């Protein structure tokens, strides 16, 4: 005849093992939010012109984004704004140095570029502000708000392109020209990607 008290530890152990097995099964069935968000970002970035730049710059925020297109678009705009601001600051420093040089074409192009980037920063900032208000006006105002964001992000991209166009008259061998244009082209990639993700979100038609 078995002793009930002697069987209790064995029963307790079996229950613990069963619980652990159930928890493991649930964990394998539901991947972590970070993993889900990372895959969502990679898939979404596939619709941009620069998918690797897109994924590299946004994947670190996967746990916050999860599978939310509004958050992803908003984050992409914020990243774009950060790069545009840094570039505007960089150009501002260069213009002060160029003012003391002899290359008037390069100096003029830098001043124009700084003005264009300043406009781009304001347009991206306006886009981000509008994105933070999405949904406040309800579904009826969604498309109007998204139209504003699309217009401003497109204008920012045009301003960044105008910056590089302004260096056409500067000699090809000019070191400063290549350095500035290469950096602005990088900034344009972030703006282009953000616009693509904004367009994806707008196409859904709901906040």
């Amino acid at each position: 005849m078995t002793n009930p008290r002697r069987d209790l530890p064995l029963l307790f152990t079996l229950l613990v093992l069963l619980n652990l097995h159930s928890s493991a099964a649930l964990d394998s069935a539901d991947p972590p939010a970070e993993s889900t968000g990372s895959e969502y970002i990679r898939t979404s970035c596939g619709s941009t012109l620069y998918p690797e730049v897109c994924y590299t710059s946004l994947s670190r925020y996967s746990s916050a984004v999860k599978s939310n297109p509004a958050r992803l678009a908003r984050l992409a705009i914020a990243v774009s704004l950060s790069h545009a601001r840094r570039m505007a600051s960089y150009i501002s420093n260069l213009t002060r140095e160029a003012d003391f040089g002899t290359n008037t074409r390069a100096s003029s192009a830098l001043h124009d570029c700084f003005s264009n980037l300043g406009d781009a920063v304001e347009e991206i900032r306006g886009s981000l502000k509008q994105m933070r208000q999405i949904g406040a006006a309800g579904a009826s105002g969604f498309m109007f708000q998204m139209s504003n964001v699309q217009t401003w992000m497109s204008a920012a991209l045009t301003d960044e392109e105008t910056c590089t166009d302004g260096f056409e008259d500067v000699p090809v061998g000019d070191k400063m020209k290549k350095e500035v244009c290469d950096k602005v082209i990088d900034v344009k990639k972030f703006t282009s990607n953000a616009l693509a993700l904004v367009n994806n979100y707008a196409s859904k038609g709901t906040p």
Side-chain angles (χ1 to χ4, degrees), residues 63-74:
S63 59
V65 170
K66 297 181 181 178
S67 300
N68 189 309
R71 289 179 186 172
L72 183 59
R74 191 162 57 242

Side-chain angles (χ1 to χ4, degrees), residues 130-152:
Q130 185 78 94
M131 280 295 296
R132 287 170 175 163
Q133 297 171 350
I134 292 293
S140 60
F142 175 74
M143 291 312 299
F144 173 75
Q145 291 172 314
M146 290 308 301
S147 177
N148 286 338
V149 175
Q150 290 170 303
T151 298
W152 292 332

Side-chain angles (χ1 to χ4, degrees), residues 5-186:
R5 291 187 178 181
R6 189 174 297 171
D7 290 340
L8 283 176
L10 177 61
L11 179 61
F12 177 76
T13 302
L14 289 173
L15 288 173
V16 169
L17 289 174
L18 180 62
N19 184 59
L20 289 173
H21 183 270
S22 299
S23 297
L26 287 173
D27 289 342
S28 62
D30 299 316
E34 185 174 351
S35 174
T36 303
S38 180
E39 286 306 309
Y40 175 73
I41 291 172
R42 184 175 290 282
T43 300
S44 299
C45 284
S47 65
T48 68
L49 289 178
Y50 312 99
E52 283 307 314
V53 173
C54 176
Y55 180 74
T56 301
S57 64
L58 302 177
S59 59
R60 70 190 71 177
Y61 307 104
S62 58
S63 59
V65 170
K66 297 181 181 178
S67 300
N68 189 309
R71 289 179 186 172
L72 183 59
R74 191 162 57 242
L75 176 61
I77 294 173
V79 169
S80 172
L81 177 59
S82 176
H83 283 273
R85 277 175 169 166
R86 284 202 297 267
M87 191 62 202
S89 177
Y90 170 75
I91 296 295
S92 177
N93 292 331
L94 281 184
T95 57
R96 287 194 286 270
E97 296 175 13
D99 287 341
F100 295 99
T102 57
N103 192 337
T104 55
R105 286 183 179 179
S107 178
S108 176
L110 276 173
H111 280 282
D112 289 343
C113 180
F114 177 68
S115 176
N116 288 321
L117 285 177
D119 289 341
V121 167
E122 289 305 310
E123 287 151 355
I124 299 173
R125 182 186 288 122
S127 298
L128 185 58
K129 181 179 180 180
Q130 185 78 94
M131 280 295 296
R132 287 170 175 163
Q133 297 171 350
I134 292 293
S140 60
F142 175 74
M143 291 312 299
F144 173 75
Q145 291 172 314
M146 290 308 301
S147 177
N148 286 338
V149 175
Q150 290 170 303
T151 298
W152 292 332
M153 291 303 295
S154 295
L157 187 58
T158 298
D159 282 323
E160 291 164 1
E161 290 173 347
T162 302
C163 165
T164 53
D165 290 344
F167 284 89
E168 289 182 355
D169 293 334
V170 178
V172 176
D174 190 288
K175 181 181 178 182
M176 182 270 296
K177 170 183 178 177
K178 183 180 186 314
E179 187 173 317
V180 169
C181 288
D182 286 348
K183 288 181 180 296
V184 174
I185 287 172
D186 285 339

